[in-house]
Amino acid sequence: MKKTNLLFALSLLIYSICFAQQPNQIEVSKRYNDYFKQESENIFTQLNKTNYTANESIWFTSYVYYNFTLNPYLSTTNIYTNVYNSSGEMIDQKIFKCRDGYMQGQLTIDEKYTPGVYYIKTTTNWMRNFDTDLSDLKQFVVNSEIKTKSPKTKYDFDIIPESGALVNNIINTVGVKINTALDTANLKGVLTDGNNSIITIFKFNAFGIGKFSAKLSSSNKYKVTIYDNEIEKTTKPINNIKDTGLHLNLINKTESVVLTLTTNPKTINSLVGKEYYLYLHRDGTINSIPVAFENNKTSYALQINKTDLPKGITILSLLNEQNEPILERMFFNDLNHSIGELEVQNINKDKDSTTISFKTSIKGSLKNNFSVSVLPESSNLYGLKENIKTKLILFPYLNQSIINEKEYLKDTSRKSLYDLDLLLLTQGESKQSLLKIINSEIVVRHDFDTGFKIKGKLNNTKYKEGNYIELVSSNNGIKAESILTTENEFTFDNLYLGNDTEINFLLKNKNGKTQKIKPYYNLYPKPFSETITFNKIKTQPKEVLPLKTKGDFINTEDVVKLDGVELETINNKPKETKNTPLGAMFARHIVFDYNSDQFQLITDIIKQNGFEVVIDYTRFRLTITSRRAITMSTPNGIAPLVLINNIPVDDLSILINLVVNEVDELFISHLGSIYGAAGAGGVINIFSKKAITSKVKDQHRAFNIAFGFEDSLDYESPFYTSTSSDFFSIYGVLNWIPSVQANQNGIITIKVPNYYKDKAQLIMNGMDENGVLYSLEKTINLDSATK
């Protein structure tokens, strides 16, 4: 924010100011910046549903956000998925790999999930350092039925002064918030004085929040009365009108924010000559404005252009010369906001499936990802309380619970922004209280994980200069080296290791001689155990009963055995994949069983798939580069990562005379980011019929990885025994799409199997590479789709 662009106004006079920071400001800013030196992630997770039965899987997609820049948090790689029972005890923990701020995963409902309520938390090791927990915690039930009692109509409400205080003999703006969900169409509030004279009447919005402005006197007795259909329902007195104090009123205009700081004559005499500072801050960004009080001046106005402020939530905090908080107010800067447009464009019904297209505000080749759950209309969404926008944009700052939180930030219309401002007015102190921040210090006890680290030592081997450890993992496509220290210690960083995979160690000297070893080593990060408390969970089921079903809901018989039947092999049947290397879903899969030329060179196949291949027969040397990776900085292209049977190959000459007849299958991809920097030029994974690298592997010492990244599986719809039953209408899933992208025209297309349901609930969330967030929850009519 450019301080020289801030305009300070007394009465109607507006003029620009320029100032240097004073000692108080410097100290506050320093403490604030020190606190936010450590960057915290913010995670939103979408579940495919929240009510599960035996033999199902929990499917989910997570988005990781950085609130300082309002962009995807690209550094995050390790996301823990923890499951807790109704007592808050952790019963399961998995770790999934995150890439570009996005992760998808699944958990199997097995025998440890007895009927009841559970909680799933997506978090990182790094997030455990922070008091404000921005992990995502969601509730779900297994083999259970949630019974909810019809809520009693309650008219309980809170009276909340804007910025925190009511001051004698000035115009105060006051928020009034109903604490239960009510039909507000015929609801109104009435402010009366001690003589029961009506001072003002105000309405409530759909979320049960209203406000009024009135000049209040500490010598009078005021009360607020709630009427429904002109019938009086409840009354509360207005207390704590202070004889001295300050009151801040905010008006959120189209291109600017107008702040009015008001006090009374009794207070102004004690303020003249003292240092007060108005701080505008959020997530590590802080700016300050000095407030110079003058004799007989009780009203001060400040106009700030929104272009001078960060987008999204901004917190206003007024501190006195002792750095004590006087008042606080939050507002949402909608200029260049991070709220994207998302709507259903078209629905076309075919014989077997229905195609649904969506229109987004994404333009061009912007990277993006969306997750979509399509459920029967009667499905219970009890555990899905927020969407990606409310979780990532509002949750980090709000201390109070929200009714109908998914309804906020649906769009940025004038009405929606007004409703959001009413919510922020009635929030009181934010989670990022400035006083708390400047008096706190983050102690880093947990590392920021990037893949896995191995630290080890050779206890029974004499140290020799030049010795190094080689680590090979064919399951994970890894071949790495670590020089031994004089204490025979070695370290491998940033390893992407799958759960239940194998790693192999080999000791080599500077002459290339090898020796089998049995090292002692530790793998980091390690699993951790924790419990959770439920004080921050917004709602609890009134009653949870074990599910009563007639027979199995899901057929788990994957194979039907046919006795006495022989099937003749059909030569043109596509060959099934034998191997599934890392990144297989992004690769072109080539098999050679029916290739007409069994002696065609593999290098020719590689050429045909977008790579430059150069063979120098005089030196018996082969080079491969990616045509797509050629840029001004890499005019000769980037070499792809080449693997044989999942083991990286350093000397490509082994491929010079390799022919189709010697190869089982081939995976070729120009998108090798899943392998990190090594895959920048693409990935070529060759699976040979003969174990070309088996001799190398036999020399290594093998160990099993007991805690590593889980595979992110492709979604497979359960085989439901019936899709026409009432039970399916509540517990079934029409489709789950964990990852789908908008095309260059901003259009997303998905398909939903036709389960003969007239209507469906559609829940959709997404994020693009600029941090723009998208969400949609809508009931769609499948039966009226175009056929």
Side-chain angles (χ1 to χ4, degrees):
M1 178 176 69
K2 297 178 181 178
K3 296 174 183 174
T4 54
N5 287 340
L6 296 176
L7 299 179
F8 191 82
L10 293 175
S11 301
L12 300 178
L13 179 63
I14 300 177
Y15 57 91
S16 63
I17 63 171
C18 181
F19 56 88
Q21 279 198 326
Q22 300 301 311
N24 253 17
Q25 295 170 272
I26 294 172
E27 180 65 21
V28 170
S29 297
K30 181 181 183 302
R31 291 182 187 178
Y32 186 89
N33 291 327
D34 286 345
Y35 182 88
F36 281 102
K37 278 182 180 178
Q38 312 299 338
E39 304 171 352
S40 178
E41 301 132 307
N42 187 4
I43 296 179
F44 168 78
T45 296
Q46 179 178 350
L47 305 182
N48 67 322
K49 61 173 184 172
T50 59
N51 48 356
Y52 298 90
T53 62
N55 304 315
E56 281 193 287
S57 290
I58 305 169
W59 298 87
F60 50 89
T61 297
S62 293
Y63 300 84
V64 189
Y65 198 63
Y66 183 24
N67 282 84
F68 177 70
T69 60
L70 303 183
N71 282 321
Y73 201 114
L74 302 179
S75 303
T76 300
T77 59
N78 300 25
I79 294 186
Y80 293 81
T81 302
N82 304 334
V83 180
Y84 310 83
N85 61 20
S86 58
S87 300
E89 300 166 340
M90 194 169 79
I91 64 168
D92 200 1
Q93 182 177 72
K94 305 291 184 185
I95 188 167
F96 290 88
K97 184 179 178 182
C98 178
R99 184 173 65 253
D100 297 332
Y102 154 76
M103 177 273 286
Q104 68 183 68
Q106 68 291 316
L107 295 172
T108 303
I109 303 292
D110 55 23
E111 62 279 357
K112 64 177 167 287
Y113 288 88
T114 57
V117 177
Y118 294 86
Y119 300 88
I120 183 169
K121 180 180 181 180
T122 41
T123 187
T124 68
N125 196 36
W126 182 248
M127 296 174 81
R128 297 165 68 198
N129 293 306
F130 302 92
D131 292 335
T132 301
D133 188 1
L134 299 182
S135 307
D136 194 293
L137 184 68
K138 283 190 168 58
Q139 176 184 282
F140 66 95
V141 295
V142 174
N143 285 335
S144 299
E145 181 180 3
I146 295 177
K147 293 290 186 180
T148 56
K149 296 179 181 178
S150 299
K152 295 180 180 179
T153 303
K154 293 183 179 181
Y155 293 87
D156 178 55
F157 65 95
D158 289 329
I159 299 172
I160 306 167
E162 183 174 19
S163 73
L166 296 173
V167 183
N168 182 43
N169 281 329
I170 67 169
I171 295 177
N172 293 265
T173 300
V174 183
V176 180
K177 184 176 71 170
I178 306 290
N179 292 323
T180 55
L182 293 175
D183 181 359
T184 63
N186 298 305
L187 213 62
K188 71 177 182 180
V190 177
L191 173 68
T192 55
D193 62 14
N195 297 319
N196 287 326
S197 298
I198 296 176
I199 299 173
T200 187
I201 298 173
F202 58 95
K203 302 289 284 184
F204 292 89
N205 66 6
F207 309 121
I209 306 176
K211 72 174 181 178
F212 64 86
S213 295
K215 188 174 183 179
L216 302 177
S217 171
S218 59
S219 61
N220 208 330
K221 294 181 178 180
Y222 303 94
K223 63 181 180 180
V224 173
T225 304
I226 305 299
Y227 290 84
D228 194 347
N229 279 315
E230 302 301 327
I231 300 173
E232 180 180 332
K233 294 297 182 180
T234 187
T235 297
K236 269 191 179 182
I238 294 180
N239 299 316
N240 300 318
I241 301 174
K242 297 180 180 180
D243 288 334
T244 60
L246 290 160
H247 181 81
L248 180 68
N249 173 249
L250 181 147
I251 299 176
N252 200 345
K253 293 190 171 182
T254 304
E255 296 183 353
S256 65
V257 177
V258 177
L259 309 175
T260 303
L261 189 63
T262 309
T263 187
N264 56 27
K266 186 175 181 179
T267 305
I268 197 67
N269 294 330
S270 63
L271 297 180
V272 174
K274 294 184 178 180
E275 292 181 345
Y276 279 69
Y277 293 95
L278 182 65
Y279 292 90
L280 295 85
H281 59 97
R282 192 211 74 208
D283 296 299
T285 298
I286 185 167
N287 290 278
S288 59
I289 303 168
V291 180
F293 294 101
E294 299 181 22
N295 288 315
N296 303 319
K297 299 291 183 182
T298 57
S299 182
Y300 302 82
L302 175 70
Q303 179 173 303
I304 306 175
N305 293 326
K306 290 184 176 180
T307 53
D308 297 323
L309 296 170
K311 60 185 179 182
I313 294 291
T314 293
I315 305 164
L316 304 166
S317 300
L318 184 69
L319 270 60
N320 65 15
E321 54 190 359
Q322 286 83 37
N323 287 336
E324 296 170 336
I326 305 301
L327 52 82
E328 183 175 290
R329 173 73 150 91
M330 289 184 286
F331 76 94
F332 179 77
N333 182 7
D334 60 292
L335 195 68
N336 299 317
H337 54 78
S338 295
I339 308 300
E341 297 174 8
L342 176 62
E343 60 183 11
V344 176
Q345 184 184 47
N346 199 13
I347 303 175
N348 291 311
K349 192 168 187 177
D350 208 343
K351 182 178 181 181
D352 298 320
S353 63
T354 298
T355 300
I356 307 173
S357 61
F358 304 86
K359 183 180 180 181
T360 76
S361 51
I362 292 173
K363 303 296 181 184
S365 56
L366 207 62
K367 291 181 182 178
N368 62 87
N369 191 82
F370 291 78
S371 47
V372 191
S373 184
V374 188
L375 304 170
E377 182 188 15
S378 302
S379 185
N380 192 326
L381 301 182
Y382 187 82
L384 301 179
K385 297 296 181 182
E386 77 266 323
N387 56 40
I388 192 171
K389 293 184 289 191
T390 53
K391 170 60 174 72
L392 300 184
I393 294 179
L394 297 182
F395 180 81
Y397 315 102
L398 306 187
N399 258 328
Q400 308 297 324
S401 61
I402 311 174
I403 298 174
N404 298 321
E405 60 193 80
K406 284 189 289 188
E407 299 300 314
Y408 288 99
L409 292 176
K410 271 192 168 182
D411 53 45
T412 53
S413 65
R414 186 173 181 177
K415 180 183 180 303
S416 293
L417 291 174
Y418 177 78
D419 288 337
L420 177 57
D421 195 61
L422 279 180
L423 173 70
L424 297 177
L425 183 153
T426 56
Q427 276 293 303
E429 186 179 81
S430 70
K431 284 183 181 177
Q432 290 192 12
S433 162
L434 185 57
L435 182 65
K436 179 181 176 181
I437 290 172
I438 63 177
N439 290 313
S440 300
E441 182 181 358
I442 294 176
V443 179
V444 177
R445 298 184 178 92
H446 308 284
D447 293 334
F448 190 102
D449 301 328
T450 304
F452 288 85
K453 174 187 285 189
I454 290 176
K455 295 181 71 174
K457 186 174 184 179
L458 304 181
N459 291 325
N460 301 317
T461 305
K462 185 177 179 181
Y463 169 75
K464 290 184 179 179
E465 186 178 356
N467 280 5
Y468 63 94
I469 298 291
E470 184 178 77
L471 183 148
V472 173
S473 175
S474 60
N475 307 109
N476 299 290
I478 293 173
K479 185 177 181 182
E481 297 175 355
S482 176
I483 301 295
L484 285 167
T485 67
T486 54
E487 289 79 25
N488 265 355
E489 294 175 340
F490 60 90
T491 302
F492 293 94
D493 289 312
N494 305 329
L495 300 173
Y496 291 89
L497 303 173
N499 190 46
D500 198 24
T501 57
E502 192 178 85
I503 59 173
N504 306 273
F505 295 102
L506 181 67
L507 175 64
K508 286 188 174 183
N509 64 19
K510 57 185 176 182
N511 297 319
K513 290 185 179 181
T514 61
Q515 177 185 339
K516 281 188 176 182
I517 52 171
K518 186 178 181 180
Y520 167 80
Y521 76 93
N522 281 309
L523 178 68
Y524 304 95
K526 296 179 179 295
F528 63 85
S529 180
E530 67 174 11
T531 58
I532 57 171
T533 57
F534 303 114
N535 59 319
K536 293 186 178 180
I537 294 176
K538 302 177 182 63
T539 55
Q540 294 280 3
K542 298 296 181 184
E543 189 177 10
V544 181
L545 302 175
L547 199 60
K548 295 180 180 179
T549 60
K550 296 179 180 180
D552 291 330
F553 177 47
I554 296 174
N555 191 338
T556 59
E557 295 295 331
D558 295 324
V559 179
V560 178
K561 185 176 180 180
L562 302 176
D563 294 330
V565 178
E566 293 185 1
L567 299 178
E568 182 180 352
T569 301
I570 302 173
N571 287 338
N572 61 358
K573 181 181 178 181
K575 182 182 175 182
E576 293 184 359
T577 303
K578 288 184 178 179
N579 304 282
T580 53
L582 193 66
M585 68 176 67
F586 305 111
R588 181 180 181 188
H589 177 218
I590 304 171
V591 293
F592 299 106
D593 277 9
Y594 313 111
N595 193 298
S596 58
D597 185 358
Q598 287 291 299
F599 295 96
Q600 182 181 7
L601 291 171
I602 288 297
T603 51
D604 289 341
I605 304 294
I606 294 172
K607 279 183 183 180
Q608 294 167 9
N609 284 274
F611 290 91
E612 293 288 347
V613 179
V614 178
I615 302 175
D616 184 349
Y617 288 101
T618 60
R619 299 181 183 179
F620 204 68
R621 183 178 176 183
L622 172 68
T623 59
I624 302 175
T625 54
S626 173
R627 296 173 191 162
R628 297 186 184 184
I630 295 176
T631 65
M632 292 184 67
S633 59
T634 57
N636 298 318
I638 301 175
L641 175 63
V642 179
L643 307 98
I644 295 180
N645 300 329
N646 265 331
I647 295 180
V649 177
D650 294 326
D651 184 3
L652 298 184
S653 63
I654 194 173
L655 306 182
I656 289 178
N657 294 317
L658 191 65
V659 296
V660 165
N661 189 47
E662 299 174 283
V663 174
D664 207 8
E665 54 186 339
L666 182 65
F667 291 84
I668 294 180
S669 174
H670 292 275
L671 302 173
S673 59
I674 198 168
Y675 286 88
V683 179
I684 300 170
N685 207 328
I686 302 167
F687 289 90
S688 62
K689 292 179 179 178
K690 296 179 180 180
I692 295 174
T693 59
S694 61
K695 291 182 180 180
V696 175
K697 186 178 177 180
D698 288 342
Q699 294 175 322
H700 289 70
R701 177 75 186 183
F703 297 86
N704 190 65
I705 299 297
F707 183 67
F709 289 119
E710 298 289 328
D711 290 331
S712 295
L713 304 178
D714 292 334
Y715 175 70
E716 293 184 1
S717 178
F719 183 43
Y720 297 109
T721 54
S722 172
T723 59
S724 59
S725 65
D726 291 339
F727 192 86
F728 176 83
S729 296
I730 298 174
Y731 293 91
V733 176
L734 301 181
N735 204 4
W736 164 248
I737 303 101
S739 177
V740 64
Q741 290 76 42
N743 63 22
Q744 291 194 346
N745 296 318
I747 304 300
I748 299 171
T749 303
I750 67 168
K751 287 193 174 183
V752 180
N754 287 338
Y755 286 142
Y756 306 104
K757 298 296 175 184
D758 294 340
K759 294 182 179 181
Q761 292 189 72
L762 188 145
I763 303 100
M764 190 171 184
N765 292 281
M767 176 171 67
D768 67 30
E769 64 178 293
N770 290 334
V772 178
L773 305 175
Y774 305 81
S775 69
L776 177 67
E777 185 171 326
K778 188 178 183 67
T779 299
I780 55 176
N781 194 334
L782 298 175
D783 196 50
S784 64
T786 304
K787 298 182 180 180

